[in-house]
Amino acid sequence: MTDLIARPYWYLRHGETDWNAQGRSQGRTDIPLNQTGIRQAEAAGLLLAKHWHDHAPIVRIVSSPLIRARRTAEIVADQLAANGAPRLAIALDDGLKEVCFGDEEGKPMGTWYDSWIAGDYTPANGESFADLRERAVSAVNRALEKDGVPLIVCHGAMFRALRSAMHLKPNVRLPNATPMWAEPGPTPVWNLTALS
């Protein structure tokens, strides 16, 4: 099992989509942001610009290539640049794609989700939580290997996998477009701080 490199990073789940609002499993289905999601991404960019020096400044943005994450990253980069931060390029990493929920995609989130995180169930044609965790850690580690602090723009299930790798309770929902500062603590348990 791969461990996260013990370096801090920013994490941002994409803004809302219609499927988020409807409580449907998205997974790899490439659903765009809705108008609420666009506003959330703009607000997240403004928050990050306002708190630019509270933690370590972002030196690069690494995003999932799925449109809801990629568009969120673009909006955040625009907001940062419009508010005095440097104009940051966005790198895409296929390893940051959301989990494949297989046959559950497009359906309402069900009672199977807890069992999936526990490792007792994997949706037909889907990805196990253990495989997701390994992929998520590897992708974030690629971003952490370079100098400076990255902003990872990604997905909800991906953050649950990263929470597991940070020795935190994994099944905690991260609201859409909430900037999260993640830093290693003195023990294996990481510290998370949400901007609001």
Side-chain angles (χ1 to χ4, degrees), residues 129-154:
F129 187 76
D131 287 348
L132 173 67
R133 183 189 186 280
E134 188 70 18
R135 180 167 60 80
V137 170
S138 295
V140 171
N141 281 350
R142 283 192 292 277
L144 292 174
E145 286 170 350
K146 298 177 182 175
D147 289 339
V149 173
L151 167 63
I152 308 294
V153 183
C154 206

mmCIF file with all atom_site columns, all heavy atoms in Angstrom, residues 129-154:
data_model
loop_
_atom_site.group_PDB
_atom_site.id
_atom_site.type_symbol
_atom_site.label_atom_id
_atom_site.label_alt_id
_atom_site.label_comp_id
_atom_site.label_asym_id
_atom_site.label_entity_id
_atom_site.label_seq_id
_atom_site.pdbx_PDB_ins_code
_atom_site.Cartn_x
_atom_site.Cartn_y
_atom_site.Cartn_z
_atom_site.occupancy
_atom_site.B_iso_or_equiv
_atom_site.pdbx_formal_charge
_atom_site.auth_seq_id
_atom_site.auth_comp_id
_atom_site.auth_asym_id
_atom_site.auth_atom_id
_atom_site.pdbx_PDB_model_num
ATOM 1   N N   . PHE A 1 129 ? -12.595 0.185  -3.599  1.00 0.00 ? 129 PHE A N   1
ATOM 2   C CA  . PHE A 1 129 ? -12.083 1.310  -2.819  1.00 0.00 ? 129 PHE A CA  1
ATOM 3   C C   . PHE A 1 129 ? -10.570 1.189  -2.647  1.00 0.00 ? 129 PHE A C   1
ATOM 4   O O   . PHE A 1 129 ? -9.849  2.187  -2.717  1.00 0.00 ? 129 PHE A O   1
ATOM 5   C CB  . PHE A 1 129 ? -12.779 1.389  -1.453  1.00 0.00 ? 129 PHE A CB  1
ATOM 6   C CG  . PHE A 1 129 ? -12.410 2.620  -0.678  1.00 0.00 ? 129 PHE A CG  1
ATOM 7   C CD1 . PHE A 1 129 ? -12.934 3.858  -1.010  1.00 0.00 ? 129 PHE A CD1 1
ATOM 8   C CD2 . PHE A 1 129 ? -11.520 2.551  0.392   1.00 0.00 ? 129 PHE A CD2 1
ATOM 9   C CE1 . PHE A 1 129 ? -12.583 5.006  -0.302  1.00 0.00 ? 129 PHE A CE1 1
ATOM 10  C CE2 . PHE A 1 129 ? -11.168 3.687  1.112   1.00 0.00 ? 129 PHE A CE2 1
ATOM 11  C CZ  . PHE A 1 129 ? -11.709 4.918  0.759   1.00 0.00 ? 129 PHE A CZ  1
ATOM 12  N N   . ALA A 1 130 ? -10.061 -0.018 -2.444  1.00 0.00 ? 130 ALA A N   1
ATOM 13  C CA  . ALA A 1 130 ? -8.612  -0.220 -2.291  1.00 0.00 ? 130 ALA A CA  1
ATOM 14  C C   . ALA A 1 130 ? -7.866  0.209  -3.555  1.00 0.00 ? 130 ALA A C   1
ATOM 15  O O   . ALA A 1 130 ? -6.805  0.858  -3.473  1.00 0.00 ? 130 ALA A O   1
ATOM 16  C CB  . ALA A 1 130 ? -8.316  -1.675 -1.958  1.00 0.00 ? 130 ALA A CB  1
ATOM 17  N N   . ASP A 1 131 ? -8.399  -0.137 -4.727  1.00 0.00 ? 131 ASP A N   1
ATOM 18  C CA  . ASP A 1 131 ? -7.758  0.275  -5.974  1.00 0.00 ? 131 ASP A CA  1
ATOM 19  C C   . ASP A 1 131 ? -7.817  1.790  -6.149  1.00 0.00 ? 131 ASP A C   1
ATOM 20  O O   . ASP A 1 131 ? -6.855  2.408  -6.614  1.00 0.00 ? 131 ASP A O   1
ATOM 21  C CB  . ASP A 1 131 ? -8.420  -0.408 -7.174  1.00 0.00 ? 131 ASP A CB  1
ATOM 22  C CG  . ASP A 1 131 ? -8.066  -1.894 -7.270  1.00 0.00 ? 131 ASP A CG  1
ATOM 23  O OD1 . ASP A 1 131 ? -7.140  -2.357 -6.558  1.00 0.00 ? 131 ASP A OD1 1
ATOM 24  O OD2 . ASP A 1 131 ? -8.731  -2.603 -8.058  1.00 0.00 ? 131 ASP A OD2 1
ATOM 25  N N   . LEU A 1 132 ? -8.947  2.382  -5.787  1.00 0.00 ? 132 LEU A N   1
ATOM 26  C CA  . LEU A 1 132 ? -9.074  3.834  -5.858  1.00 0.00 ? 132 LEU A CA  1
ATOM 27  C C   . LEU A 1 132 ? -8.048  4.501  -4.949  1.00 0.00 ? 132 LEU A C   1
ATOM 28  O O   . LEU A 1 132 ? -7.392  5.466  -5.345  1.00 0.00 ? 132 LEU A O   1
ATOM 29  C CB  . LEU A 1 132 ? -10.490 4.278  -5.465  1.00 0.00 ? 132 LEU A CB  1
ATOM 30  C CG  . LEU A 1 132 ? -10.676 5.789  -5.341  1.00 0.00 ? 132 LEU A CG  1
ATOM 31  C CD1 . LEU A 1 132 ? -10.532 6.472  -6.694  1.00 0.00 ? 132 LEU A CD1 1
ATOM 32  C CD2 . LEU A 1 132 ? -12.019 6.117  -4.710  1.00 0.00 ? 132 LEU A CD2 1
ATOM 33  N N   . ARG A 1 133 ? -7.914  4.000  -3.730  1.00 0.00 ? 133 ARG A N   1
ATOM 34  C CA  . ARG A 1 133 ? -6.959  4.587  -2.773  1.00 0.00 ? 133 ARG A CA  1
ATOM 35  C C   . ARG A 1 133 ? -5.545  4.564  -3.347  1.00 0.00 ? 133 ARG A C   1
ATOM 36  O O   . ARG A 1 133 ? -4.829  5.564  -3.294  1.00 0.00 ? 133 ARG A O   1
ATOM 37  C CB  . ARG A 1 133 ? -7.008  3.838  -1.447  1.00 0.00 ? 133 ARG A CB  1
ATOM 38  C CG  . ARG A 1 133 ? -6.119  4.418  -0.369  1.00 0.00 ? 133 ARG A CG  1
ATOM 39  C CD  . ARG A 1 133 ? -6.067  3.487  0.844   1.00 0.00 ? 133 ARG A CD  1
ATOM 40  N NE  . ARG A 1 133 ? -5.340  4.047  1.952   1.00 0.00 ? 133 ARG A NE  1
ATOM 41  C CZ  . ARG A 1 133 ? -4.013  4.062  2.067   1.00 0.00 ? 133 ARG A CZ  1
ATOM 42  N NH1 . ARG A 1 133 ? -3.253  3.564  1.103   1.00 0.00 ? 133 ARG A NH1 1
ATOM 43  N NH2 . ARG A 1 133 ? -3.438  4.599  3.127   1.00 0.00 ? 133 ARG A NH2 1
ATOM 44  N N   . GLU A 1 134 ? -5.150  3.447  -3.900  1.00 0.00 ? 134 GLU A N   1
ATOM 45  C CA  . GLU A 1 134 ? -3.806  3.328  -4.474  1.00 0.00 ? 134 GLU A CA  1
ATOM 46  C C   . GLU A 1 134 ? -3.616  4.316  -5.621  1.00 0.00 ? 134 GLU A C   1
ATOM 47  O O   . GLU A 1 134 ? -2.589  4.987  -5.721  1.00 0.00 ? 134 GLU A O   1
ATOM 48  C CB  . GLU A 1 134 ? -3.588  1.892  -4.949  1.00 0.00 ? 134 GLU A CB  1
ATOM 49  C CG  . GLU A 1 134 ? -2.178  1.591  -5.387  1.00 0.00 ? 134 GLU A CG  1
ATOM 50  C CD  . GLU A 1 134 ? -1.169  1.551  -4.244  1.00 0.00 ? 134 GLU A CD  1
ATOM 51  O OE1 . GLU A 1 134 ? -1.567  1.417  -3.070  1.00 0.00 ? 134 GLU A OE1 1
ATOM 52  O OE2 . GLU A 1 134 ? 0.033   1.673  -4.535  1.00 0.00 ? 134 GLU A OE2 1
ATOM 53  N N   . ARG A 1 135 ? -4.606  4.434  -6.476  1.00 0.00 ? 135 ARG A N   1
ATOM 54  C CA  . ARG A 1 135 ? -4.536  5.352  -7.618  1.00 0.00 ? 135 ARG A CA  1
ATOM 55  C C   . ARG A 1 135 ? -4.507  6.806  -7.157  1.00 0.00 ? 135 ARG A C   1
ATOM 56  O O   . ARG A 1 135 ? -3.727  7.624  -7.674  1.00 0.00 ? 135 ARG A O   1
ATOM 57  C CB  . ARG A 1 135 ? -5.721  5.093  -8.556  1.00 0.00 ? 135 ARG A CB  1
ATOM 58  C CG  . ARG A 1 135 ? -5.749  5.981  -9.783  1.00 0.00 ? 135 ARG A CG  1
ATOM 59  C CD  . ARG A 1 135 ? -6.740  5.492  -10.808 1.00 0.00 ? 135 ARG A CD  1
ATOM 60  N NE  . ARG A 1 135 ? -8.114  5.435  -10.360 1.00 0.00 ? 135 ARG A NE  1
ATOM 61  C CZ  . ARG A 1 135 ? -8.940  6.485  -10.285 1.00 0.00 ? 135 ARG A CZ  1
ATOM 62  N NH1 . ARG A 1 135 ? -8.503  7.689  -10.609 1.00 0.00 ? 135 ARG A NH1 1
ATOM 63  N NH2 . ARG A 1 135 ? -10.200 6.330  -9.899  1.00 0.00 ? 135 ARG A NH2 1
ATOM 64  N N   . ALA A 1 136 ? -5.346  7.138  -6.176  1.00 0.00 ? 136 ALA A N   1
ATOM 65  C CA  . ALA A 1 136 ? -5.410  8.514  -5.669  1.00 0.00 ? 136 ALA A CA  1
ATOM 66  C C   . ALA A 1 136 ? -4.084  8.929  -5.044  1.00 0.00 ? 136 ALA A C   1
ATOM 67  O O   . ALA A 1 136 ? -3.571  10.025 -5.308  1.00 0.00 ? 136 ALA A O   1
ATOM 68  C CB  . ALA A 1 136 ? -6.542  8.641  -4.653  1.00 0.00 ? 136 ALA A CB  1
ATOM 69  N N   . VAL A 1 137 ? -3.522  8.067  -4.218  1.00 0.00 ? 137 VAL A N   1
ATOM 70  C CA  . VAL A 1 137 ? -2.246  8.380  -3.565  1.00 0.00 ? 137 VAL A CA  1
ATOM 71  C C   . VAL A 1 137 ? -1.140  8.543  -4.604  1.00 0.00 ? 137 VAL A C   1
ATOM 72  O O   . VAL A 1 137 ? -0.349  9.489  -4.529  1.00 0.00 ? 137 VAL A O   1
ATOM 73  C CB  . VAL A 1 137 ? -1.904  7.296  -2.519  1.00 0.00 ? 137 VAL A CB  1
ATOM 74  C CG1 . VAL A 1 137 ? -0.471  7.459  -2.012  1.00 0.00 ? 137 VAL A CG1 1
ATOM 75  C CG2 . VAL A 1 137 ? -2.883  7.354  -1.350  1.00 0.00 ? 137 VAL A CG2 1
ATOM 76  N N   . SER A 1 138 ? -1.086  7.652  -5.569  1.00 0.00 ? 138 SER A N   1
ATOM 77  C CA  . SER A 1 138 ? -0.056  7.754  -6.608  1.00 0.00 ? 138 SER A CA  1
ATOM 78  C C   . SER A 1 138 ? -0.173  9.065  -7.377  1.00 0.00 ? 138 SER A C   1
ATOM 79  O O   . SER A 1 138 ? 0.839   9.721  -7.665  1.00 0.00 ? 138 SER A O   1
ATOM 80  C CB  . SER A 1 138 ? -0.154  6.570  -7.570  1.00 0.00 ? 138 SER A CB  1
ATOM 81  O OG  . SER A 1 138 ? 0.149   5.362  -6.900  1.00 0.00 ? 138 SER A OG  1
ATOM 82  N N   . ALA A 1 139 ? -1.389  9.473  -7.708  1.00 0.00 ? 139 ALA A N   1
ATOM 83  C CA  . ALA A 1 139 ? -1.596  10.714 -8.462  1.00 0.00 ? 139 ALA A CA  1
ATOM 84  C C   . ALA A 1 139 ? -1.203  11.934 -7.638  1.00 0.00 ? 139 ALA A C   1
ATOM 85  O O   . ALA A 1 139 ? -0.523  12.843 -8.142  1.00 0.00 ? 139 ALA A O   1
ATOM 86  C CB  . ALA A 1 139 ? -3.044  10.816 -8.916  1.00 0.00 ? 139 ALA A CB  1
ATOM 87  N N   . VAL A 1 140 ? -1.617  11.984 -6.387  1.00 0.00 ? 140 VAL A N   1
ATOM 88  C CA  . VAL A 1 140 ? -1.261  13.131 -5.544  1.00 0.00 ? 140 VAL A CA  1
ATOM 89  C C   . VAL A 1 140 ? 0.246   13.147 -5.297  1.00 0.00 ? 140 VAL A C   1
ATOM 90  O O   . VAL A 1 140 ? 0.876   14.219 -5.305  1.00 0.00 ? 140 VAL A O   1
ATOM 91  C CB  . VAL A 1 140 ? -2.079  13.127 -4.236  1.00 0.00 ? 140 VAL A CB  1
ATOM 92  C CG1 . VAL A 1 140 ? -1.565  14.180 -3.265  1.00 0.00 ? 140 VAL A CG1 1
ATOM 93  C CG2 . VAL A 1 140 ? -3.555  13.379 -4.550  1.00 0.00 ? 140 VAL A CG2 1
ATOM 94  N N   . ASN A 1 141 ? 0.841   11.988 -5.110  1.00 0.00 ? 141 ASN A N   1
ATOM 95  C CA  . ASN A 1 141 ? 2.297   11.945 -4.923  1.00 0.00 ? 141 ASN A CA  1
ATOM 96  C C   . ASN A 1 141 ? 3.037   12.515 -6.130  1.00 0.00 ? 141 ASN A C   1
ATOM 97  O O   . ASN A 1 141 ? 4.066   13.184 -5.969  1.00 0.00 ? 141 ASN A O   1
ATOM 98  C CB  . ASN A 1 141 ? 2.765   10.520 -4.637  1.00 0.00 ? 141 ASN A CB  1
ATOM 99  C CG  . ASN A 1 141 ? 2.533   10.113 -3.195  1.00 0.00 ? 141 ASN A CG  1
ATOM 100 O OD1 . ASN A 1 141 ? 2.195   10.935 -2.338  1.00 0.00 ? 141 ASN A OD1 1
ATOM 101 N ND2 . ASN A 1 141 ? 2.711   8.836  -2.914  1.00 0.00 ? 141 ASN A ND2 1
ATOM 102 N N   . ARG A 1 142 ? 2.531   12.277 -7.346  1.00 0.00 ? 142 ARG A N   1
ATOM 103 C CA  . ARG A 1 142 ? 3.169   12.866 -8.527  1.00 0.00 ? 142 ARG A CA  1
ATOM 104 C C   . ARG A 1 142 ? 3.168   14.394 -8.433  1.00 0.00 ? 142 ARG A C   1
ATOM 105 O O   . ARG A 1 142 ? 4.130   15.055 -8.812  1.00 0.00 ? 142 ARG A O   1
ATOM 106 C CB  . ARG A 1 142 ? 2.463   12.416 -9.808  1.00 0.00 ? 142 ARG A CB  1
ATOM 107 C CG  . ARG A 1 142 ? 2.811   11.016 -10.237 1.00 0.00 ? 142 ARG A CG  1
ATOM 108 C CD  . ARG A 1 142 ? 2.330   10.708 -11.644 1.00 0.00 ? 142 ARG A CD  1
ATOM 109 N NE  . ARG A 1 142 ? 0.886   10.637 -11.777 1.00 0.00 ? 142 ARG A NE  1
ATOM 110 C CZ  . ARG A 1 142 ? 0.144   9.565  -11.491 1.00 0.00 ? 142 ARG A CZ  1
ATOM 111 N NH1 . ARG A 1 142 ? 0.718   8.462  -11.019 1.00 0.00 ? 142 ARG A NH1 1
ATOM 112 N NH2 . ARG A 1 142 ? -1.157  9.580  -11.671 1.00 0.00 ? 142 ARG A NH2 1
ATOM 113 N N   . ALA A 1 143 ? 2.070   14.950 -7.930  1.00 0.00 ? 143 ALA A N   1
ATOM 114 C CA  . ALA A 1 143 ? 1.986   16.407 -7.773  1.00 0.00 ? 143 ALA A CA  1
ATOM 115 C C   . ALA A 1 143 ? 2.887   16.899 -6.643  1.00 0.00 ? 143 ALA A C   1
ATOM 116 O O   . ALA A 1 143 ? 3.420   18.012 -6.710  1.00 0.00 ? 143 ALA A O   1
ATOM 117 C CB  . ALA A 1 143 ? 0.543   16.816 -7.510  1.00 0.00 ? 143 ALA A CB  1
ATOM 118 N N   . LEU A 1 144 ? 3.066   16.075 -5.606  1.00 0.00 ? 144 LEU A N   1
ATOM 119 C CA  . LEU A 1 144 ? 3.865   16.481 -4.445  1.00 0.00 ? 144 LEU A CA  1
ATOM 120 C C   . LEU A 1 144 ? 5.364   16.315 -4.666  1.00 0.00 ? 144 LEU A C   1
ATOM 121 O O   . LEU A 1 144 ? 6.164   16.875 -3.904  1.00 0.00 ? 144 LEU A O   1
ATOM 122 C CB  . LEU A 1 144 ? 3.440   15.675 -3.209  1.00 0.00 ? 144 LEU A CB  1
ATOM 123 C CG  . LEU A 1 144 ? 2.044   15.970 -2.665  1.00 0.00 ? 144 LEU A CG  1
ATOM 124 C CD1 . LEU A 1 144 ? 1.684   15.004 -1.549  1.00 0.00 ? 144 LEU A CD1 1
ATOM 125 C CD2 . LEU A 1 144 ? 1.939   17.412 -2.185  1.00 0.00 ? 144 LEU A CD2 1
ATOM 126 N N   . GLU A 1 145 ? 5.757   15.561 -5.674  1.00 0.00 ? 145 GLU A N   1
ATOM 127 C CA  . GLU A 1 145 ? 7.186   15.339 -5.926  1.00 0.00 ? 145 GLU A CA  1
ATOM 128 C C   . GLU A 1 145 ? 7.888   16.593 -6.417  1.00 0.00 ? 145 GLU A C   1
ATOM 129 O O   . GLU A 1 145 ? 9.102   16.731 -6.272  1.00 0.00 ? 145 GLU A O   1
ATOM 130 C CB  . GLU A 1 145 ? 7.376   14.211 -6.953  1.00 0.00 ? 145 GLU A CB  1
ATOM 131 C CG  . GLU A 1 145 ? 7.096   12.837 -6.375  1.00 0.00 ? 145 GLU A CG  1
ATOM 132 C CD  . GLU A 1 145 ? 7.056   11.752 -7.437  1.00 0.00 ? 145 GLU A CD  1
ATOM 133 O OE1 . GLU A 1 145 ? 7.051   12.073 -8.653  1.00 0.00 ? 145 GLU A OE1 1
ATOM 134 O OE2 . GLU A 1 145 ? 7.011   10.569 -7.048  1.00 0.00 ? 145 GLU A OE2 1
ATOM 135 N N   . LYS A 1 146 ? 7.146   17.524 -6.984  1.00 0.00 ? 146 LYS A N   1
ATOM 136 C CA  . LYS A 1 146 ? 7.728   18.768 -7.485  1.00 0.00 ? 146 LYS A CA  1
ATOM 137 C C   . LYS A 1 146 ? 7.766   19.795 -6.360  1.00 0.00 ? 146 LYS A C   1
ATOM 138 O O   . LYS A 1 146 ? 7.026   19.706 -5.385  1.00 0.00 ? 146 LYS A O   1
ATOM 139 C CB  . LYS A 1 146 ? 6.905   19.289 -8.659  1.00 0.00 ? 146 LYS A CB  1
ATOM 140 C CG  . LYS A 1 146 ? 6.885   18.333 -9.832  1.00 0.00 ? 146 LYS A CG  1
ATOM 141 C CD  . LYS A 1 146 ? 5.997   18.837 -10.943 1.00 0.00 ? 146 LYS A CD  1
ATOM 142 C CE  . LYS A 1 146 ? 5.951   17.835 -12.080 1.00 0.00 ? 146 LYS A CE  1
ATOM 143 N NZ  . LYS A 1 146 ? 4.997   18.239 -13.119 1.00 0.00 ? 146 LYS A NZ  1
ATOM 144 N N   . ASP A 1 147 ? 8.613   20.810 -6.513  1.00 0.00 ? 147 ASP A N   1
ATOM 145 C CA  . ASP A 1 147 ? 8.741   21.851 -5.491  1.00 0.00 ? 147 ASP A CA  1
ATOM 146 C C   . ASP A 1 147 ? 7.462   22.666 -5.372  1.00 0.00 ? 147 ASP A C   1
ATOM 147 O O   . ASP A 1 147 ? 6.747   22.875 -6.361  1.00 0.00 ? 147 ASP A O   1
ATOM 148 C CB  . ASP A 1 147 ? 9.904   22.792 -5.826  1.00 0.00 ? 147 ASP A CB  1
ATOM 149 C CG  . ASP A 1 147 ? 11.256  22.125 -5.637  1.00 0.00 ? 147 ASP A CG  1
ATOM 150 O OD1 . ASP A 1 147 ? 11.334  21.127 -4.896  1.00 0.00 ? 147 ASP A OD1 1
ATOM 151 O OD2 . ASP A 1 147 ? 12.232  22.603 -6.245  1.00 0.00 ? 147 ASP A OD2 1
ATOM 152 N N   . GLY A 1 148 ? 7.193   23.153 -4.178  1.00 0.00 ? 148 GLY A N   1
ATOM 153 C CA  . GLY A 1 148 ? 6.054   24.032 -3.932  1.00 0.00 ? 148 GLY A CA  1
ATOM 154 C C   . GLY A 1 148 ? 4.764   23.272 -3.704  1.00 0.00 ? 148 GLY A C   1
ATOM 155 O O   . GLY A 1 148 ? 4.698   22.050 -3.822  1.00 0.00 ? 148 GLY A O   1
ATOM 156 N N   . VAL A 1 149 ? 3.742   24.038 -3.355  1.00 0.00 ? 149 VAL A N   1
ATOM 157 C CA  . VAL A 1 149 ? 2.455   23.467 -2.955  1.00 0.00 ? 149 VAL A CA  1
ATOM 158 C C   . VAL A 1 149 ? 1.484   23.433 -4.133  1.00 0.00 ? 149 VAL A C   1
ATOM 159 O O   . VAL A 1 149 ? 1.206   24.468 -4.741  1.00 0.00 ? 149 VAL A O   1
ATOM 160 C CB  . VAL A 1 149 ? 1.853   24.286 -1.793  1.00 0.00 ? 149 VAL A CB  1
ATOM 161 C CG1 . VAL A 1 149 ? 0.448   23.815 -1.470  1.00 0.00 ? 149 VAL A CG1 1
ATOM 162 C CG2 . VAL A 1 149 ? 2.747   24.186 -0.563  1.00 0.00 ? 149 VAL A CG2 1
ATOM 163 N N   . PRO A 1 150 ? 0.942   22.247 -4.453  1.00 0.00 ? 150 PRO A N   1
ATOM 164 C CA  . PRO A 1 150 ? -0.048  22.163 -5.521  1.00 0.00 ? 150 PRO A CA  1
ATOM 165 C C   . PRO A 1 150 ? -1.474  22.333 -5.008  1.00 0.00 ? 150 PRO A C   1
ATOM 166 O O   . PRO A 1 150 ? -1.763  22.096 -3.829  1.00 0.00 ? 150 PRO A O   1
ATOM 167 C CB  . PRO A 1 150 ? 0.144   20.739 -6.044  1.00 0.00 ? 150 PRO A CB  1
ATOM 168 C CG  . PRO A 1 150 ? 0.528   19.957 -4.823  1.00 0.00 ? 150 PRO A CG  1
ATOM 169 C CD  . PRO A 1 150 ? 1.347   20.912 -3.980  1.00 0.00 ? 150 PRO A CD  1
ATOM 170 N N   . LEU A 1 151 ? -2.351  22.734 -5.910  1.00 0.00 ? 151 LEU A N   1
ATOM 171 C CA  . LEU A 1 151 ? -3.791  22.642 -5.695  1.00 0.00 ? 151 LEU A CA  1
ATOM 172 C C   . LEU A 1 151 ? -4.268  21.466 -6.531  1.00 0.00 ? 151 LEU A C   1
ATOM 173 O O   . LEU A 1 151 ? -4.094  21.462 -7.753  1.00 0.00 ? 151 LEU A O   1
ATOM 174 C CB  . LEU A 1 151 ? -4.500  23.928 -6.131  1.00 0.00 ? 151 LEU A CB  1
ATOM 175 C CG  . LEU A 1 151 ? -6.040  23.850 -6.239  1.00 0.00 ? 151 LEU A CG  1
ATOM 176 C CD1 . LEU A 1 151 ? -6.677  23.559 -4.892  1.00 0.00 ? 151 LEU A CD1 1
ATOM 177 C CD2 . LEU A 1 151 ? -6.603  25.125 -6.859  1.00 0.00 ? 151 LEU A CD2 1
ATOM 178 N N   . ILE A 1 152 ? -4.854  20.479 -5.862  1.00 0.00 ? 152 ILE A N   1
ATOM 179 C CA  . ILE A 1 152 ? -5.416  19.318 -6.538  1.00 0.00 ? 152 ILE A CA  1
ATOM 180 C C   . ILE A 1 152 ? -6.909  19.567 -6.699  1.00 0.00 ? 152 ILE A C   1
ATOM 181 O O   . ILE A 1 152 ? -7.615  19.774 -5.712  1.00 0.00 ? 152 ILE A O   1
ATOM 182 C CB  . ILE A 1 152 ? -5.206  18.025 -5.705  1.00 0.00 ? 152 ILE A CB  1
ATOM 183 C CG1 . ILE A 1 152 ? -3.742  17.847 -5.302  1.00 0.00 ? 152 ILE A CG1 1
ATOM 184 C CG2 . ILE A 1 152 ? -5.763  16.810 -6.439  1.00 0.00 ? 152 ILE A CG2 1
ATOM 185 C CD1 . ILE A 1 152 ? -2.790  17.613 -6.414  1.00 0.00 ? 152 ILE A CD1 1
ATOM 186 N N   . VAL A 1 153 ? -7.413  19.576 -7.938  1.00 0.00 ? 153 VAL A N   1
ATOM 187 C CA  . VAL A 1 153 ? -8.839  19.778 -8.189  1.00 0.00 ? 153 VAL A CA  1
ATOM 188 C C   . VAL A 1 153 ? -9.392  18.445 -8.671  1.00 0.00 ? 153 VAL A C   1
ATOM 189 O O   . VAL A 1 153 ? -8.966  17.927 -9.698  1.00 0.00 ? 153 VAL A O   1
ATOM 190 C CB  . VAL A 1 153 ? -9.093  20.894 -9.220  1.00 0.00 ? 153 VAL A CB  1
ATOM 191 C CG1 . VAL A 1 153 ? -10.595 21.117 -9.394  1.00 0.00 ? 153 VAL A CG1 1
ATOM 192 C CG2 . VAL A 1 153 ? -8.409  22.185 -8.774  1.00 0.00 ? 153 VAL A CG2 1
ATOM 193 N N   . CYS A 1 154 ? -10.322 17.909 -7.900  1.00 0.00 ? 154 CYS A N   1
ATOM 194 C CA  . CYS A 1 154 ? -10.644 16.510 -8.097  1.00 0.00 ? 154 CYS A CA  1
ATOM 195 C C   . CYS A 1 154 ? -12.091 16.213 -7.697  1.00 0.00 ? 154 CYS A C   1
ATOM 196 O O   . CYS A 1 154 ? -12.972 17.024 -7.955  1.00 0.00 ? 154 CYS A O   1
ATOM 197 C CB  . CYS A 1 154 ? -9.634  15.720 -7.272  1.00 0.00 ? 154 CYS A CB  1
ATOM 198 S SG  . CYS A 1 154 ? -9.306  14.083 -7.844  1.00 0.00 ? 154 CYS A SG  1
#
